[in-house]
Amino acid sequence: YRVVRVYPHDPRAFTQGLAYADGLLYEGTGGEGTSSLRRVELRTGRILQRQRLDGRHFGEGITIWNDRIIQLTWRSRTGFVYDRSTFRCLGNFRYDHEGWGITHDGRRLIVSDGSAALRFYDPGKLKETGRLRVRDEYGSPVAGLNELEFVTGLIYANVWPTDTIAMIDPQTGRVKGWLDLGGLLPTAARRGTDVLNGIAHDVAQDRLFVTGKYWPQLFEIRIIEK
């Protein structure tokens, strides 16, 4: 990969989900009593709007579905649906697993739970409709699937607790490629940070953004295939 541009990022944000739409970033953060949903100005990293979660909930991944934002929580097994423009909570839904990452392919929501399985959800009924087992090129399960983003026909998944992104075929579950972002954040800036987590794709301009938990920077990168 190569770095196209570097942007400031709130180093207090325990990034769990990242999305991009209409020139703005949307970010879901975690933490006991500090979880939130945010609208963020890309260029400056400034928080334009924030909706805090009740202290009972540890925020996880987010995705934008039409005029709504869907946010998962970790162990309380509750998801929230917000109006995208106002952040007003429109309702919630329950699931029977841990919530980690979430994205969509234009038809289905795609959800991770920290295992080697991805779950498909009906975006209207918010009910599980199927599962996909993710395996590497040798046929071994790829556990630790975390934050997700659907990028040009593939599911990109942060693999916890690494600085690696798996590029997954949504039909077969096979990993088609690996993106090793070790060393992306300079060593001097990694003090007090956590792992890489957060992928957002600007579909209109085909820009890819990544960051991490408590990272002081967010990166626009371009993938260079070997």
Side-chain angles (χ1 to χ4, degrees), residues 66-101:
N66 298 326
D67 61 349
R68 300 184 175 188
I69 298 173
I70 301 171
Q71 182 175 29
L72 302 180
T73 60
W74 182 25
R75 289 179 171 167
S76 51
R77 303 189 174 193
T78 302
F80 295 96
V81 181
Y82 303 91
D83 179 273
R84 181 173 144 192
S85 62
T86 65
F87 280 13
R88 181 172 66 89
C89 186
L90 303 174
N92 60 68
F93 61 100
R94 299 282 295 170
Y95 41 85
D96 62 358
H97 53 84
E98 290 188 357
W100 285 45

Side-chain angles (χ1 to χ4, degrees), residues 12-69:
R12 297 165 297 179
F14 192 72
T15 305
Q16 301 284 65
L18 197 66
Y20 180 92
D22 300 328
L24 296 169
L25 284 170
Y26 293 81
E27 186 169 13
T29 70
E32 300 289 348
T34 58
S35 297
S36 68
L37 173 66
R38 303 175 174 194
R39 193 190 326 268
V40 179
E41 187 174 57
L42 172 64
R43 183 176 57 84
T44 65
R46 184 166 62 97
I47 301 168
L48 304 175
Q49 190 171 357
R50 174 162 40 195
Q51 175 68 42
R52 299 184 187 276
L53 273 68
D54 185 281
R56 298 171 296 166
H57 301 295
F58 194 111
E60 286 281 346
I62 65 167
T63 194
I64 297 170
W65 178 259
N66 298 326
D67 61 349
R68 300 184 175 188
I69 298 173

Side-chain angles (χ1 to χ4, degrees), residues 101-103 110-112 118 146-150 155-157 199:
I102 182 171
T103 188
I110 307 167
V111 173
S112 66
L118 294 175
N146 198 357
E147 219 275 298
L148 306 174
E149 183 77 357
F150 194 77
I155 304 167
Y156 283 26
I199 313 167

Side-chain angles (χ1 to χ4, degrees), residues 86-205:
T86 65
F87 280 13
R88 181 172 66 89
C89 186
L90 303 174
N92 60 68
F93 61 100
R94 299 282 295 170
Y95 41 85
D96 62 358
H97 53 84
E98 290 188 357
W100 285 45
I102 182 171
T103 188
H104 69 83
D105 61 3
R107 298 182 297 111
R108 309 166 294 180
L109 300 178
I110 307 167
V111 173
S112 66
D113 60 11
S115 70
L118 294 175
R119 300 167 186 260
F120 298 112
Y121 271 69
D122 181 297
K125 298 178 180 178
L126 295 173
K127 298 293 184 183
E128 186 176 332
T129 59
R131 299 184 191 182
L132 182 70
R133 190 76 171 170
V134 177
R135 297 183 181 276
D136 65 16
E137 58 269 40
Y138 305 106
S140 301
V142 180
L145 300 176
N146 198 357
E147 219 275 298
L148 306 174
E149 183 77 357
F150 194 77
V151 182
T152 57
L154 296 175
I155 304 167
Y156 283 26
N158 284 121
V159 180
W160 185 85
T162 75
D163 286 345
T164 302
I165 292 174
M167 305 171 182
I168 304 160
D169 186 320
Q171 302 301 320
T172 66
R174 283 301 180 103
V175 175
K176 306 289 287 185
W178 298 95
L179 182 57
D180 182 1
L181 295 177
L184 174 63
L185 185 70
T187 303
R190 293 208 67 141
R191 189 174 302 170
T193 63
D194 207 313
V195 297
L196 180 83
N197 202 49
I199 313 167
H201 184 224
D202 173 6
V203 177
Q205 299 187 53

Side-chain angles (χ1 to χ4, degrees), residues 9 148 225:
H9 179 252
L148 306 174
E225 294 188 15

